[in-house]
Amino acid sequence: MSAPHVFLVAAERSGDLLGAGLARELRSLTADKVRLSGIGGTAMAEQGIESAISIDGLSILGWIDGLKAYSRVKQAVSEAVDAILTAKPDVVVLIDSWGFTLRVAQGVRAADPAIRLVKYVGPQVFATRPGRAATLAASVDELLTILSFDAPYYEAHGLPVTFVGNPTLERLPRGNGAAFRTRHGITADEAVLVVLPGSRPSEIRRMMPPVVEALKRLTRDHADLRLVLPVADPVAGQVDAAIAVHPVLQSAIRVGETEKADAFASADLALACSGTVVTELATAGVPTITGYKLGWITWGLVRAFNLLKTPHISLVNIAADARLVPEIIQLKCTGKVLADEVERLLDDPVRRAELSVRLQAVTSEMRGSGQASRRAAEAVLAGLD
């Protein structure tokens, strides 16, 4: 039997990391007797998968950003479909990035129905736009979900669902906070605030102004506060441009993703753009304030059509059914409000300790039996059998 050929598709950083973990486990399970190709970023490249097309400009969120990038996305979809049809894989795994991967799936399905299509991470239909479940069921053969409560929404439309768990909860190694503090000259009596303004260009654009204003207020009132700025690779240029013009960011300790685990372990609390990183922080037990701002037209549509069906936006809060992570959204997401929320926790070490324990307990339940990437790889190979 020839080696199975698996083609992975990821269009942004979070999917790139999921793809890298999946690639690693596919090789392990097959004793490296698997052909891997795909579309992705630096994490997948480190696993030996050279991207068939560039994913620059595909990390998009919101209606307006989608419209602005329409021609780029349309071109990338066409290039991705052509690359897949040329490669003729046994299975294509389409990772996260709903709009882009859906169109790729539909293009491949129309051209060659024999290629098996697997979606890895579905849209959060429990929170908004439940009609996407039917759309996905008509476009792919199987869904690998990272959420234990996803299955009924999709199975109702005839789509087989395999719960594999959330690799985010296993990805971040246990960091060495003491070593990080020593390495960067942070004393024991200084408080560390980890600042993460986003991993998409649109997030940096919208979140950086209120984050900068919050940091100005916090550093003015707390001389013993040290700022740590872990920077995601896809937005490093944007963040560095912001550092160049904002003195408060110049006072921060800027680190790359290789130091992220140590930075989290050193932290007393965090200020973060809502997203995967909030779950990572919770796994590390870091009390966090999260904020988010959509484009105004997107936000108007969300409000006008009541598209948000859950009282929380953070997976940790959804899983706990409690606001363990304060969520500061849209109009409320100002520098003053963010600073006030951070200060409230900064001045309450007892509350921070309680939150740290609860966050780790919730993410432990979300993790389940662990080895999510391996279970995803097993599911992909089982589908080929």
Side-chain angles (χ1 to χ4, degrees), residues 2 16 32 155 175 183 199 236 273 296 312:
S2 61
D16 184 34
D32 213 18
E155 290 175 341
R183 195 157 61 241
S199 60
C273 177
W296 289 112
H312 311 293

Side-chain angles (χ1 to χ4, degrees), residues 240-327:
D240 288 341
I243 292 173
V245 297
H246 295 295
V248 71
L249 295 180
Q250 294 165 18
S251 69
I253 300 168
R254 184 214 187 277
V255 298
E257 295 193 76
T258 56
E259 284 197 86
K260 187 166 73 170
D262 287 349
F264 287 7
S266 77
D268 293 281
L269 69 169
L271 174 60
C273 177
S274 181
T276 301
V277 75
V278 174
T279 307
E280 291 180 328
L281 287 161
T283 304
V286 183
T288 301
I289 308 298
T290 189
Y292 208 82
K293 299 187 78 168
L294 288 165
W296 289 112
I297 293 179
T298 301
W299 177 249
L301 292 170
V302 168
R303 295 298 300 272
F305 294 99
N306 193 29
L307 296 179
L308 192 60
K309 307 298 183 183
T310 173
H312 311 293
I313 63 170
S314 300
L315 286 180
V316 174
N317 289 343
I318 292 170
D321 195 21
R323 193 58 67 91
L324 301 182
V325 177
E327 298 173 348

Side-chain angles (χ1 to χ4, degrees), residues 59-353:
S59 185
I60 301 162
L61 191 68
W63 292 83
I64 298 304
D65 286 336
L67 289 173
K68 289 178 179 177
Y70 176 75
S71 60
R72 166 68 184 124
V73 173
K74 185 177 179 181
Q75 176 191 2
V77 168
S78 177
E79 292 174 352
V81 171
D82 287 346
I84 291 167
L85 296 177
T86 300
K88 299 186 182 301
D90 298 299
V91 59
V92 179
V93 183
L94 303 137
I95 308 170
D96 212 348
S97 301
W98 166 249
F100 175 73
T101 56
L102 173 69
R103 286 162 179 77
V104 172
Q106 291 170 337
V108 173
R109 175 58 47 90
D112 189 350
I115 297 177
R116 181 172 176 79
L117 301 175
V118 176
K119 185 75 173 72
Y120 187 11
V121 185
Q124 295 179 359
V125 294
F126 61 85
T128 181
R129 301 177 71 182
R132 290 177 168 183
T135 301
L136 185 63
S139 306
V140 301
D141 299 295
E142 183 180 7
L143 169 64
L144 309 182
T145 177
I146 64 174
L147 303 173
S148 60
F149 47 80
D150 255 349
Y153 296 94
Y154 294 96
E155 290 175 341
H157 299 282
L159 180 63
V161 178
T162 301
F163 169 60
V164 299
N166 191 340
T168 300
L169 304 176
E170 307 164 21
R171 181 187 305 143
L172 199 69
R174 184 180 295 276
N176 189 329
F180 184 88
R181 283 176 172 258
T182 299
R183 195 157 61 241
H184 293 284
I186 304 171
T187 64
D189 58 348
E190 289 178 311
V192 171
L193 173 67
V194 173
V195 182
L196 301 124
S199 60
R200 295 183 176 99
S202 61
E203 291 171 345
I204 298 296
R205 188 172 67 251
R206 296 189 185 116
M207 286 300 299
M208 191 62 84
V211 166
V212 166
E213 178 59 30
L215 297 180
K216 288 178 181 177
R217 291 171 177 269
L218 290 164
T219 53
R220 180 190 64 204
D221 298 334
H222 297 272
D224 61 343
L225 183 64
R226 296 295 299 273
L227 307 179
V228 174
L229 189 62
V231 180
D233 292 340
V235 292
Q238 278 185 286
V239 173
D240 288 341
I243 292 173
V245 297
H246 295 295
V248 71
L249 295 180
Q250 294 165 18
S251 69
I253 300 168
R254 184 214 187 277
V255 298
E257 295 193 76
T258 56
E259 284 197 86
K260 187 166 73 170
D262 287 349
F264 287 7
S266 77
D268 293 281
L269 69 169
L271 174 60
C273 177
S274 181
T276 301
V277 75
V278 174
T279 307
E280 291 180 328
L281 287 161
T283 304
V286 183
T288 301
I289 308 298
T290 189
Y292 208 82
K293 299 187 78 168
L294 288 165
W296 289 112
I297 293 179
T298 301
W299 177 249
L301 292 170
V302 168
R303 295 298 300 272
F305 294 99
N306 193 29
L307 296 179
L308 192 60
K309 307 298 183 183
T310 173
H312 311 293
I313 63 170
S314 300
L315 286 180
V316 174
N317 289 343
I318 292 170
D321 195 21
R323 193 58 67 91
L324 301 182
V325 177
E327 298 173 348
I328 317 301
I329 310 301
Q330 210 63 18
L331 287 171
K332 294 181 179 179
C333 191
T334 65
K336 182 180 185 307
V337 174
L338 291 174
D340 288 347
E341 290 290 341
V342 170
E343 198 158 27
R344 191 170 291 117
L345 276 181
L346 194 60
D347 294 338
D348 192 346
V350 174
R351 175 63 177 159
R352 292 204 309 270

